[in-house]
Amino acid sequence: MKRYSYLPSLIISVIVLVVGVSMLERHFKNELLKAGLLSNNSNNLYPYGRRVSGYTVTENVPNFKFGGFDENLNPSPFETDNNGFLAEENVKREKEKGITRIFIVGGSTAWGSLESRSVMKDSSYPVGSYCYNATIAGKLKKLLTQKYPEQKFEVIDAAVVGFKLSQDFALYMERLHDFDPDIVINIDGYNDMGNMTGKEGLNDPYSDNEQQLEEGLELSAIARIPKWPYTLAYYNYKQIRQQAKLEKHKMFSRKRVSDNKTPITLEPDISAYNLKKHFNPVSTKLLWLVASYEKQLNADGVYSVFCLQPTLQRRENQKQLSPLELKFRNKLETVTVVDTVNIKANIEQLIPGIINNSGLTFDSLRKEMGLSIYGIKNLNGAFLLNDMSPVFDSLITANGGAYVDVNKKMNDMGSDKEFYTDYCHLTPYGNQFVAELLLKKVELYLHNKKGVVAASN
């Protein structure tokens, strides 16, 4: 009997081990659920509904199921079509005879994103995306159908979260051209803002693509981690995140080598941003992109509408802000340089030296240099867009397109109308307002289709 005396201890040890492993598995399963990496839906291989693209850096995943919201902000799931577009039905490459096909492209505002919780940390509006009918595209389709019931329209949302104008252009050349569009509507400006304010070689219209690609590859790697055992899955997930963090640090370090060649002074270099007198080389390249894009659309007989998207930061052209919108703007304008440094690693080495040499506080330095939560991206951003707007207008109309600056149409809008869900994303009312502005531009095409052809000759 003595040789079996170890059995109770062994049984207890096994039970403790099983219970311990089970508790660990449950804990790490919950952590993976929080990260959005576990789902019964195979589409969860792409947590944000986007994947890496060899043409445009990222793209929407075809037939991806989203848990979206309708215009009343009630849950309303939706799905992209076979092409990664949002539309009432699957968009076929061959266009139906007699139909007017309209594509809307751009970034998150054009796509239909709601509130960005990471920036505002406010829960007044949900995080996620509008279903098709509640997007700008869906609302424009409804307006056209109601006003012109005898005509057929397709209004297709081909926007991708995070896209800039350069990616819109690439998307048109790679895919949209093959769908024979009649009208292409660009809703852009916010994501391009950083490409207009940097010194030469910084924030080139294509430079941010490296970071987008890193993030896309990171998501793809996370999607391939085993879902069980959950402890191993979570370990792999953390390793991927850590590696990505190191890569981004290297990327910012590479940028600092070139960025720091210019001496930093306490006086902000207003002349570099005084666009009424001079466009810096980066802005010039962006304008070249705009002109090239417009000329290509014109040459293809496609009517172009360029919509400079509304942003909360603009003051000269702005609505009367609601209490919530005032709260948002105060959040953007009172953030300290400490917050800025945490977000913009490429300026973190500049700040301590300035502080030590000047005796300024972080907050006073922020006010002196005009820094906001997006660092260099929004440096004098409101001033910048006000001055860029007429330049965009002249470029686009000169090539046969139409232009609308949404902010300039909002001056009489009262504080009772809530337009923004954060710094640039829109409420249902905001989407409706933009759709009505775009309707007027589309009607120019409908009333004079031959004008587009004539302009391209």
Side-chain angles (χ1 to χ4, degrees), residues 51-118:
R51 65 186 183 188
V52 172
S53 165
Y55 292 94
T56 57
V57 186
T58 59
E59 64 181 4
N60 294 328
V61 177
N63 307 119
F64 188 90
K65 296 178 181 179
F66 290 85
F69 299 89
D70 63 18
E71 59 184 10
N72 297 315
L73 302 181
N74 295 319
S76 181
F78 65 94
E79 184 175 343
T80 53
D81 76 350
N82 295 341
N83 311 288
F85 303 148
L86 280 186
E88 286 188 323
E89 56 186 30
N90 189 61
V91 181
K92 298 179 181 178
R93 195 174 295 268
E94 294 296 325
K95 185 171 61 177
E96 181 183 338
K97 186 176 181 181
I99 201 166
T100 300
R101 175 170 281 178
I102 304 170
F103 277 102
I104 290 184
V105 294
S108 54
T109 299
W111 162 256
S113 294
L114 277 149
E115 187 174 277
S116 176
R117 195 78 88 240
S118 62

Side-chain angles (χ1 to χ4, degrees), residues 117-261:
R117 195 78 88 240
S118 62
V119 176
M120 303 323 261
K121 303 190 186 308
D122 183 274
S123 58
S124 301
Y125 289 92
V127 173
S129 304
Y130 290 107
C131 67
Y132 173 76
N133 290 336
T135 63
I136 295 171
K139 289 180 176 294
L140 177 59
K141 169 67 184 293
K142 183 177 181 180
L143 290 170
L144 286 166
T145 302
Q146 289 176 341
K147 193 164 185 178
Y148 302 95
E150 73 286 355
Q151 297 187 40
K152 295 181 180 180
F153 298 95
E154 279 184 328
V155 184
I156 304 156
D157 187 342
V160 180
V161 173
F163 261 31
K164 302 186 294 295
L165 186 69
S166 57
Q167 290 166 290
D168 296 339
F169 195 178
L171 178 65
Y172 171 77
M173 298 294 284
E174 178 254 328
R175 187 174 309 175
L176 303 190
H177 173 271
D178 297 338
F179 284 81
D180 190 21
D182 297 290
I183 303 173
V184 170
I185 299 174
N186 281 84
I187 303 177
D188 286 293
Y190 187 85
N191 293 338
D192 299 282
M193 200 186 299
N195 303 144
M196 304 179 214
T197 58
K199 298 182 184 299
E200 185 173 7
L202 173 65
N203 289 332
D204 180 274
Y206 294 95
S207 65
D208 292 337
N209 291 358
E210 180 180 4
Q211 186 172 357
Q212 280 193 35
L213 181 59
E214 291 284 353
E215 291 171 353
L217 292 172
E218 177 187 346
L219 287 174
S220 299
I222 290 172
R224 291 193 295 271
I225 65 177
K227 298 301 186 288
W228 192 92
Y230 299 117
T231 305
L232 176 61
Y234 187 74
Y235 172 78
N236 288 341
Y237 163 65
K238 295 295 286 186
Q239 289 295 105
I240 292 168
R241 285 291 194 194
Q242 183 62 26
Q243 184 61 34
K245 185 177 180 180
L246 289 172
E247 290 298 325
K248 288 177 184 177
H249 178 74
K250 291 178 182 177
M251 179 176 69
F252 284 128
S253 297
R254 290 197 299 273
K255 287 184 178 180
R256 278 197 291 268
V257 171
S258 59
D259 297 349
N260 292 354
K261 290 178 181 178

Side-chain angles (χ1 to χ4, degrees), residues 268 364-373 375-376 378-381:
S364 62
L365 179 65
R366 177 194 65 78
K367 292 175 181 177
E368 180 75 16
M369 297 187 71
L371 293 172
S372 71
I373 195 168
I376 293 173
N378 276 341
L379 184 59
N380 293 325

